[in-house]
Amino acid sequence: MKLAIAAALAMSLAGCGDPPKLRVDEAVLVLSPVDSNPSALYFTVHGGTEDVKLLRVVSPSIIRSEIHESGKDPKTGAMTMAPLNNVPVAARSKVEFKRGGKHVMVWGVNLRARRLGEMETEYIFSNGDRILVDAVVQEADGTIPDERKKVT
């Protein structure tokens, strides 16, 4: 009897642990080589204990942002890009925003973010969560922005 109780207790504790938490990481803003063109923000969303939707990404360092998805036209093979109103994030899943797929287009990155090589980003979800993440700011070739190189 004691062995059965100990086994049941061990099994119930094995399921214990911290539940997954909705989070965002690996945020990188890749600057457009042409200042008047939009830049692209890439990151990964890790789902928590419930299904949610990513509704918006904002930052005090930018003028405007839009969630988009790239793909290929099945008929022509041409690259396409379409805006998304939201992005579903299933519980305990991972959604990657990366080149050639989902990404956030960003207009008007300010000089401060370019000089610091980082900017604060805020991810707004359908459950009311607002997650702040510092995104790395880099040139299209992966180097630090020119403005940062000039700062002494």
Side-chain angles (χ1 to χ4, degrees), residues 51-67:
D51 294 350
V52 296
K53 292 179 182 175
L54 175 64
L55 303 177
R56 293 185 61 207
V57 179
V58 297
S59 171
S61 297
I62 63 174
I63 293 173
R64 174 172 76 117
S65 65
E66 294 177 3
I67 301 172

Side-chain angles (χ1 to χ4, degrees), residues 42-100:
Y42 306 108
F43 52 91
T44 302
V45 180
H46 301 269
T49 57
E50 64 181 342
D51 294 350
V52 296
K53 292 179 182 175
L54 175 64
L55 303 177
R56 293 185 61 207
V57 179
V58 297
S59 171
S61 297
I62 63 174
I63 293 173
R64 174 172 76 117
S65 65
E66 294 177 3
I67 301 172
H68 283 237
E69 183 163 27
S70 298
K72 278 190 179 179
D73 183 303
K75 294 179 183 174
T76 65
M79 290 299 295
T80 62
M81 187 168 39
L84 299 173
N85 290 327
N86 59 67
V87 176
V89 179
R92 297 172 176 80
S93 72
K94 178 168 78 169
V95 179
E96 294 181 313
F97 285 68
K98 59 185 180 180
R99 292 178 196 265

Side-chain angles (χ1 to χ4, degrees), residues 24 26-31 38-43 57-66 104-123 131-138 145 148:
V24 177
E26 301 177 14
V28 177
L29 176 73
V30 179
L31 295 169
S39 298
L41 179 64
Y42 306 108
F43 52 91
V57 179
V58 297
S59 171
S61 297
I62 63 174
I63 293 173
R64 174 172 76 117
S65 65
E66 294 177 3
V104 175
M105 304 222 22
V106 173
W107 286 264
V109 179
N110 70 17
L111 188 58
R112 182 171 191 260
R114 292 170 184 265
R115 284 191 173 155
L116 291 176
E118 68 178 25
M119 69 178 206
E120 183 179 85
T121 53
E122 184 175 16
Y123 303 80
I131 299 174
L132 295 174
V133 176
D134 286 332
V136 173
V137 176
Q138 66 184 32
R148 187 171 177 202

